[in-house]
Amino acid sequence: MKVIVDHARCQGHALCMLKAPQVYQLNDDGYNSMPPTEVPPELEEQARLGAINCPEGAIRLDKRAAD
Amino acid sequence: MSYQVHQAAQRLETIPPHVPADRVVELDYFSPPGVTEDPHLAWKRLHDGPDIVYTPYYGGHWIVTRADDMFAVMQDYETFSNWEFTVPKRGPGNPVLMPNQLDPPRHGPIRSVVLRPMSPKAVEPIEPVIRKIMADRIASIVPKGGCEFVSEFGGDIPPELFFEHARIPKDKLPEMKRFADAVARSDNEEDRRAARIGGANYMMAILDERRQVEELDDDVFSVIVRAEREGRITREESTSIALNVFFGGLETVSSALAFIVLFLARNPAHRRQLIEDGSLTQDATEEFLRRFGILNLARIATKPTTFKGLTIEQGEQVLLPLHLAGLDERKFPNPLEVDFHRKRAGHFNFGTGPHRCLGSNLARPEIRIFIEEWLRQIPDFSVDPDDKPVGASGVAMTMTRVPLVWPSR
């Protein structure tokens, strides 16, 4: 699975990082600017939790990558 | 832009013709019925009515009550400006708060000045300081066997922590706190204006001191002065930014602590969960933020617009009771229930869109550490059976009185 963050939508709520610190990191300004990132299977649940808690809906999970 | 300013709870005699009669409610947002018993439940009654309503108080303004609609208003900054972000309109003669009152594209470059010192990374190193201040203050009240939380504890701590984070001399604290109180709580626009001006003068004095420093540090005031030296902002903008950063985080955090401590006093089972599993406090902090939202912010329409079938005229204000977004059952099932294990807890009580609260990164650890330290030292406590908590509404929802007792040792 891949996480894809829409940087233009991120408003720095930080909820992705709080819910899934092993998947999501924020930059020095407090925004998520990570590139599309492959998530290992054991972190997929965390990644999903971080995504559904983003108030901006800025995080997309691409499952095709794992197929 | 210039708009007519309305005084205190000035009530419109006649409802404007574009407002449908079935959307009109009689609501002074400083005192919804039942607010003293429970501010959130008092507001929650609006969810029994239409999505968007209009009240004739404060010269007349709209109230958006549902999470998705508030979200849409906050995202559409071209139609709904932040220039007048509290009801009633501030009008001329007030110091401008930046970046809060600005809209894109002017907003971004100003906000970027203070992003770094307010980021999670910048706040993390001061967590031990927050913990020490919290722990010491709690330790000092433990032997008393009880306290009136707001006056004896909750009200003083957030300003003190902000001063610590911003490295401002503590002797300025009482006066600044008085200004912050008036801005958040007074329903008299004249008092609020006087407090804003007083606060701005104080900020200018603090900035002047910082301007004397040659080797600037990375705290928020130093960062502002550095941006000024680099020619990115003017002296006036420095004051506006400092004032904004300061006023943002005082009453809000104090109020959150009061609601949380009151909930914990009444719910021993929730206390037990937090005491038995220390890893829960982070999720608990988010759940408390959702359940006990604080702010009644507003926007002002920059042009006539149609929103969900209603006509909103240019210059009309739209009140966004952010605390109601977290209590919207369309977004959160059983919203009144406090459940630390909620999977979907993505609230936006810090707002959304370009103006999302920067101070949230400081507020969160303050709240989390407060919960941890309080329960460590005062695991068992309750509301004083001979006294009563008192709630209030305003720009910031709050408890003005939370009488607590615990077994003295």
Side-chain angles (χ1 to χ4, degrees):
Chain A
M1 188 169 80
K2 207 176 232 182
V3 295
I4 298 158
V5 180
D6 183 341
H7 303 153
R9 279 177 104 154
C10 174
Q11 299 289 359
H13 292 262
L15 283 161
C16 59
M17 183 190 69
L18 290 172
K19 294 287 175 186
Q22 289 170 276
V23 179
Y24 304 102
Q25 288 90 40
L26 304 183
N27 63 23
D28 289 350
D29 283 348
Y31 290 85
N32 188 327
S33 58
M34 63 194 273
T37 304
E38 189 65 41
V39 179
E42 66 273 18
L43 291 179
E44 282 187 10
E45 192 44 43
Q46 257 206 52
R48 197 167 292 117
L49 202 58
I52 63 170
N53 277 287
C54 173
E56 308 289 333
I59 302 171
R60 195 158 61 80
L61 302 173
D62 189 348
K63 292 193 195 70
R64 279 169 308 175
D67 293 338
Chain B
M1 261 185 288
S2 97
Y3 304 107
Q4 194 188 344
V5 180
H6 294 275
Q7 291 309 311
Q10 184 189 340
R11 192 179 166 285
L12 276 188
E13 296 287 323
T14 322
I15 302 293
H18 67 284
V19 179
D22 61 357
R23 298 299 182 123
V24 178
V25 295
E26 283 291 328
L27 185 95
D28 172 351
Y29 88 101
F30 274 81
S31 53
V35 70
T36 52
E37 290 78 34
D38 187 323
H40 292 90
L41 291 186
W43 275 92
K44 178 72 180 143
R45 289 175 199 156
L46 281 184
H47 279 167
D48 299 334
D51 293 9
I52 299 165
V53 292
Y54 184 95
T55 172
Y57 283 85
Y58 302 99
H61 63 89
W62 297 93
I63 306 173
V64 173
T65 69
R66 294 292 184 176
D68 286 348
D69 298 336
M70 285 188 236
F71 191 89
V73 168
M74 284 186 281
Q75 294 286 344
D76 183 4
Y77 52 82
E78 285 176 357
T79 310
F80 299 105
S81 164
N82 230 41
W83 181 250
E84 289 285 1
F85 67 99
T86 50
V87 170
K89 293 166 197 168
R90 301 148 62 97
N94 278 288
V96 177
L97 296 186
M98 292 185 188
N100 197 6
Q101 285 186 267
L102 301 180
D103 297 305
R106 273 192 77 201
H107 168 262
I110 296 286
R111 181 171 165 113
S112 74
V113 171
V114 279
L115 281 178
R116 207 151 283 194
M118 299 304 285
S119 73
K121 269 189 196 159
V123 171
E124 213 182 316
I126 71 152
E127 280 200 14
V129 181
I130 298 178
R131 193 173 294 281
K132 169 127 183 35
I133 292 176
M134 288 279 185
D136 289 352
R137 291 294 297 272
I138 296 166
S140 74
I141 58 167
V142 168
K144 297 170 70 178
C147 75
E148 195 291 285
F149 182 82
V150 179
S151 55
E152 293 180 52
F153 185 89
D156 292 344
I157 297 268
E160 193 176 334
L161 294 177
F162 176 80
F163 269 50
E164 184 70 37
H165 179 54
R167 297 182 210 165
I168 306 172
K170 295 270 168 59
D171 58 325
K172 307 236 190 299
L173 198 53
E175 181 116 41
M176 283 311 292
K177 178 141 172 43
R178 207 170 49 71
F179 294 139
D181 266 331
V183 168
R185 305 264 167 79
S186 171
D187 63 356
N188 182 321
E189 187 53 26
E190 280 307 314
D191 290 348
R192 295 207 296 209
R193 184 180 1 232
R196 289 185 199 114
I197 292 168
N201 289 335
Y202 248 93
M203 283 299 144
M204 283 193 261
I206 292 166
L207 282 167
D208 273 339
E209 279 172 29
R210 203 58 56 95
R211 286 183 183 111
Q212 311 304 316
V213 179
E214 224 162 283
E215 295 280 323
L216 288 166
D217 220 321
D218 291 326
D219 62 276
V220 65
F221 282 78
S222 299
V223 163
I224 292 169
V225 169
R226 185 178 302 129
E228 190 182 291
R229 284 181 191 170
E230 289 167 357
R232 294 165 62 198
I233 52 173
T234 64
R235 284 172 77 96
E236 286 73 31
E237 286 169 339
S238 290
T239 307
S240 292
I241 297 170
L243 200 58
N244 196 162
V245 171
F246 174 75
F247 277 135
L250 303 185
E251 300 312 301
T252 43
V253 180
S254 302
S255 298
L257 297 185
F259 285 121
I260 292 168
V261 85
L262 176 57
F263 176 85
L264 289 172
R266 287 168 167 164
N267 294 276
H270 284 80
R271 289 206 302 268
R272 211 169 311 122
Q273 281 184 55
L274 293 172
I275 291 166
E276 283 169 10
D277 181 358
S279 71
L280 262 185
T281 38
Q282 185 158 288
D283 282 345
T285 299
E286 292 311 309
E287 176 66 347
F288 283 134
L289 286 167
R290 178 198 67 78
R291 174 62 181 82
F292 300 109
I294 303 297
L295 285 171
N296 286 301
L297 290 181
R299 298 289 189 267
I300 184 161
T302 57
K303 54 191 175 200
T305 188
T306 304
F307 187 72
K308 296 195 84 182
L310 296 162
T311 302
I312 297 177
E313 296 289 359
Q314 179 177 359
E316 283 186 336
Q317 281 194 288
V318 176
L319 188 76
L320 308 169
L322 284 177
H323 48 90
L324 271 185
L327 300 182
D328 186 349
E329 40 277 284
R330 293 185 220 180
K331 207 166 179 65
F332 304 101
N334 304 316
L336 295 175
E337 197 183 306
V338 172
D339 175 2
F340 301 146
H341 299 282
R342 234 175 240 277
K343 279 257 176 297
R344 193 185 289 267
H347 65 85
F348 51 90
N349 278 329
F350 290 117
T352 174
H355 292 288
R356 198 200 66 84
C357 174
L358 260 186
S360 60
N361 301 321
L362 187 55
R364 277 195 175 107
E366 287 181 18
I367 293 170
R368 175 172 46 79
I369 292 169
F370 164 75
I371 296 170
E372 288 167 0
E373 289 302 316
W374 182 278
L375 290 178
R376 192 172 60 77
Q377 298 193 48
I378 312 178
D380 265 316
F381 63 108
S382 56
V383 174
D384 182 349
D386 300 323
D387 202 337
K388 244 175 34 188
V390 180
S393 181
V395 176
M397 302 256 282
T398 195
M399 298 300 300
T400 54
R401 191 171 174 75
V402 181
L404 301 173
V405 288
W406 50 83
S408 38
R409 285 177 233 159

